[in-house]
Amino acid sequence: MEGGGSRTVISIISVFLAFLSCASSYPALQNFLQCLPINSNPSHPISGAIYIAGNSSFESVLRAYTRNLRFTTLETPKPLAIITALHESHVQATVICAKSHGLQIRIRSGGHDYEGLSYVSKVPFVILDMFNLRSIDIDIAKETAWVQAGATLGELYYKIATTSKVHAFPAGVCLTLGTGGHFSGGGYGAMMRKYGLSVDNIIDAQIVNVNGRVLNRASMGEDLFWAIRGGGGASFGVILSWKIKLVRIPPILTMFNVPITSTQGATDVVHRWQEVAPKLPGDLFIRATISSANGTITATFTGLFLGQTDALLQLTNQSFPELNLTQKDCKEMSWLNSTLLFYGYPEGTSYEVFYNRTLTQGPADFYKGKSDYVKKVIPKESLEHIWKLAIKAGITFMQWNPYGGRMSEIPESETPFPHRAGNLFKIQYGMTWGLENVTNDRIEASRELYSAMTPYVSSEPREAFLNYRDLDIGQRSDFSKKKDLKEGRIYGIKYFKGNFQRLTKVKAVVDPDNFFVNEQSIPPSLY
Ligand SMILES: Cc1cc2nc3c(=O)[nH]c(=O)nc-3n(C[C@H](O)[C@H](O)[C@H](O)COP(=O)(O)OP(=O)(O)OC[C@H]3O[C@@H](n4cnc5c(N)ncnc54)[C@H](O)[C@@H]3O)c2cc1C
Ligand SMILES: *[C@@H]1O[C@H](CO)[C@@H](O)[C@H](O)[C@H]1NC(C)=O
Ligand SMILES: *[C@@H]1O[C@H](CO)[C@@H](O)[C@H](O)[C@H]1NC(C)=O
Ligand SMILES: *[C@@H]1O[C@H](CO)[C@@H](O)[C@H](O)[C@H]1NC(C)=O
Ligand SMILES: *[C@@H]1O[C@H](CO)[C@@H](O)[C@H](O)[C@H]1NC(C)=O
Ligand SMILES: *[C@@H]1O[C@H](CO)[C@@H](O)[C@H](O)[C@H]1NC(C)=O
Ligand SMILES: *[C@@H]1O[C@H](CO)[C@@H](O)[C@H](O)[C@H]1NC(C)=O
Ligand SMILES: *[C@@H]1O[C@H](CO)[C@@H](O)[C@H](O)[C@H]1NC(C)=O
């Protein structure tokens, strides 16, 4: 009796636990898994790509491309399954089966989304993980390449540089970004003032649409091809690969990295930088990174010049003497070497970091990012005030990235990315921390700094950069359709300005039922 009673209690508890862990979505998962065509592709069986919650490798697969510790806590919702597509047919099957069985998908390439939208959702979901699809095929005679969505920038840069010393591609600084997310959100880096964004140099793409069909530029049409070049891929389908146009560079470039503290006159130099950096020739990109330590500010000027030291010094002597750049600050090197230094690796770092994923796997820090655009030079007194705000917030860094050059020549409506002429620079506010118990405090501090920056930055709309995803600027409260357009407009206008409306029209045509949805996806304008 006694024993039987406790067995009953135990079995009730275990049924209850099983119920809890599978929640009400368990039948949907079973149906989804049964729908996946296990035997249809003998050379690429999908069975090798399925990881189900509870499977021994599930946690490590989930964590491998979870790049922000904020989304590794006990409260973080987890997917019911992860499909690590090994072939495009697995992508097609995942879309078709998730759609027909009412599961949401989250698409993950490099996993760097600042708000974890590629691997977290508040409704039952599966992750479509693209990291295995990462081939890069370069046609150097035509100066083009096909790059799969799961390739990282490091892999792309390495492959280009080992194929040609005089070709490159304008994309981001962080070498572990996935091209799937990074390109579809714009993609900028140190060659932006010369060659524009990644999306300004994309000439074709392959995408799996909501019906599971593989489309290219010709079959998707120019509207959808326009939308995925900066409007975020995740609202429209699954990007399989991009065809990019390589750009020409000299075999030797010049880099410098000059820190200037407040006592050395950082305020004056930053003040001047605002006027100069956006007007310099496109060959020269000078980022100013503001950091604080021990109650003082340091502004670090990191430059990439598409040429050699003599020409660089002539240019800075004439246009930006306040920087006091000298020969000994300048280092000549290959483009590949410059990408290492720009990302902060020391000279001589092994090239393994370009392609060894075990080196860089796993999350590093807790992170919160925010962005702003500046259109008017900030006066010196205001800069001094901003330094105080930054110190008070304990912000880890503020990256000020100059615009102008090629960025000002491309019309706002050419791609969904609208932040073109009229911008002096973009600010990224970066907050990192290492302990979960200060998360709320650190996020609140970055919000306070952002709020205090209101007078100095763009307004109506206060513009933001999609790749620096920030749910604080607006998000849908649920995934129901009714509120879609109204809520979508709030973040949509900030990310896309006048291009938002065209994005909603494209969405209404290619995904009218809103299958590809997330907290900041493009709503179909039908509602
Ligand atoms: C350390 C660091 C440095 C950065 N530096 C730069 C920089 O220099 N320049 C810059 O522009 N940005 C930069 N970013 C931002 C970066 O571009 C974005 O976070 C970008 O979205 C990352 O792409 P991902 O594929 O790695 O991320 P993911 O998290 O995999 O994806 C991001 C978004 O794209 C969607 N997505 C991913 N793959 C696909 C696909 N195949 N098809 C459709 N949708 C897809 C996801 O669902 C998600 O919504 C940086 C980010 C970090 C963390
Ligand atoms: C876990 O997933 C792998 C890969 O799909 C599979 O081979 C293995 O049998 C699964 N293990 C369990 C316990 O489900
Ligand atoms: C800040 O102060 C500490 C302790 O005095 C010192 O160790 C550290 O190097 C200082 N940091 C900077 C960036 O000056
Ligand atoms: C730049 O100015 C410095 C100091 O005035 C001078 O020594 C140097 O020769 C100049 N370099 C060039 C390339 O003009
Ligand atoms: C630049 O050089 C001038 C003249 O030598 C000096 O007065 C000034 O302090 C220097 N500025 C910085 C930021 O080092
Ligand atoms: C690039 O860096 C490596 C060391 O990491 C060095 O051996 C090589 O000479 C550098 N090449 C160029 C052209 O910068
Ligand atoms: C990648 O780096 C890891 C960790 O340093 C190392 O164990 C592994 O051998 C490296 N892989 C390759 C292919 O070089
Ligand atoms: C957070 O945790 C660390 C270590 O567990 C502790 O030292 C610190 O005081 C805690 N901070 C707060 C704000 O609770």
Side-chain angles (χ1 to χ4, degrees), residues 251-252 332-334 337 340 347-351:
I252 294 295
E332 295 183 346
M333 65 188 78
S334 64
N337 284 7
L340 287 178
E347 243 179 313
T349 296
S350 161
Y351 285 165

Side-chain angles (χ1 to χ4, degrees), residues 432-449:
T432 64
W433 60 99
L435 287 170
E436 192 182 337
N437 62 357
V438 297
T439 293
N440 291 341
D441 172 73
R442 296 292 76 212
I443 291 179
E444 203 41 55
S446 47
R447 286 177 184 153
E448 277 171 24
L449 174 59

Side-chain angles (χ1 to χ4, degrees), residues 21-39:
S21 60
C22 303
S24 52
S25 48
Y26 187 65
L29 175 64
Q30 287 310 317
N31 294 338
F32 167 75
L33 294 171
Q34 274 161 19
C35 166
L36 295 175
I38 298 296
N39 297 315

Side-chain angles (χ1 to χ4, degrees), residues 56-313:
S56 55
S57 316
F58 175 82
E59 279 295 324
S60 61
V61 173
L62 177 60
R63 285 292 285 265
Y65 293 88
T66 293
R67 303 291 198 176
N68 190 336
L69 283 180
R70 266 167 70 205
F71 308 107
T72 60
T73 68
L74 285 174
E75 296 79 46
T76 308
K78 290 186 178 173
L80 296 167
I82 304 169
I83 310 299
T84 60
L86 298 158
H87 185 261
E88 67 179 39
S89 62
H90 302 169
V91 175
Q92 296 174 282
T94 303
V95 168
I96 290 167
C97 293
K99 188 182 177 214
S100 55
H101 296 290
L103 284 179
Q104 195 179 86
I105 67 169
R106 291 299 167 109
I107 312 157
R108 181 161 76 170
S109 288
H112 277 292
D113 192 285
Y114 280 0
E115 299 280 9
L117 299 196
S118 56
Y119 53 91
V120 181
S121 177
K122 54 198 168 198
V123 301
F125 72 109
V126 297
I127 294 177
L128 175 53
D129 224 331
M130 301 293 285
F131 65 89
N132 284 315
L133 299 177
R134 57 177 191 244
S135 71
I136 299 167
D137 292 309
I138 299 179
D139 182 342
I140 204 66
K142 294 210 173 81
E143 304 182 291
T144 60
W146 274 102
V147 186
Q148 284 191 306
T152 63
L153 295 187
E155 289 163 346
L156 177 61
Y157 294 170
Y158 184 77
K159 187 93 184 241
I160 294 172
T162 50
T163 305
S164 163
K165 301 268 171 270
V166 291
H167 288 90
F169 190 68
V173 170
C174 168
L175 300 174
T176 51
L177 301 181
T179 70
H182 177 65
F183 290 0
S184 64
Y188 86 92
M191 292 191 295
M192 146 176 87
R193 302 190 65 258
K194 175 77 171 187
Y195 290 114
L197 306 172
S198 302
V199 290
D200 300 325
N201 298 278
I202 288 174
I203 52 181
D204 204 339
Q206 277 194 305
I207 184 172
V208 170
N209 77 358
V210 71
N211 302 317
R213 280 186 56 208
V214 178
L215 307 174
N216 63 14
R217 181 173 182 170
S219 52
M220 80 177 82
E222 288 302 307
D223 276 340
L224 180 53
F225 184 62
W226 173 84
I228 58 175
R229 283 175 298 148
S235 294
F236 301 99
V238 184
I239 313 287
L240 291 174
S241 57
W242 306 99
K243 187 179 187 183
I244 61 176
K245 180 88 188 120
L246 303 180
V247 301
R248 291 188 191 177
I249 50 159
I252 294 295
L253 315 179
T254 307
M255 268 208 67
F256 60 87
N257 202 49
V258 178
I260 301 179
T261 62
S262 307
T263 46
Q264 292 167 330
T267 306
D268 288 347
V269 186
V270 171
H271 182 253
R272 184 77 188 126
W273 170 92
Q274 301 178 87
E275 292 166 337
V276 173
K279 291 201 194 106
L280 288 167
D283 288 328
L284 179 53
F285 178 85
I286 308 178
R287 165 185 282 179
T289 305
I290 317 297
S291 54
S292 73
N294 301 339
T296 80
I297 281 289
T298 300
T300 303
F301 297 87
T302 309
L304 179 70
F305 179 62
L306 305 180
Q308 296 189 9
T309 308
D310 288 349
L312 171 60
L313 288 178

Side-chain angles (χ1 to χ4, degrees), residues 314-332:
Q314 263 175 34
L315 194 58
T316 52
N317 267 14
Q318 205 170 42
S319 312
F320 196 9
E322 297 81 356
L323 188 61
N324 286 353
L325 196 69
T326 66
Q327 186 107 31
K328 69 176 185 349
D329 299 316
C330 300
K331 291 200 180 95
E332 295 183 346

Side-chain angles (χ1 to χ4, degrees), residues 185-186 197 199 226 229-231 373 375 403 407 410-423 461 463-466 492-500 503:
L197 306 172
V199 290
W226 173 84
R229 283 175 298 148
Y373 283 88
K375 295 168 194 283
Y403 273 49
M407 291 298 286
I410 298 172
E412 271 186 26
S413 59
E414 183 83 7
T415 70
F417 177 98
H419 320 288
R420 304 282 188 172
N423 290 292
E463 296 173 33
F465 178 38
L466 179 63
I493 297 288
K494 293 175 185 171
Y495 286 140
F496 308 113
K497 296 175 72 181
N499 296 325
F500 175 63
L503 286 168

Side-chain angles (χ1 to χ4, degrees), residues 325-362:
L325 196 69
T326 66
Q327 186 107 31
K328 69 176 185 349
D329 299 316
C330 300
K331 291 200 180 95
E332 295 183 346
M333 65 188 78
S334 64
W335 168 62
L336 192 66
N337 284 7
S338 81
T339 65
L340 287 178
L341 262 68
F342 218 96
Y343 191 35
Y345 283 114
E347 243 179 313
T349 296
S350 161
Y351 285 165
E352 218 182 297
V353 298
F354 287 113
Y355 50 82
N356 185 341
R357 292 186 178 217
T358 22
L359 276 177
T360 46
Q361 266 183 14

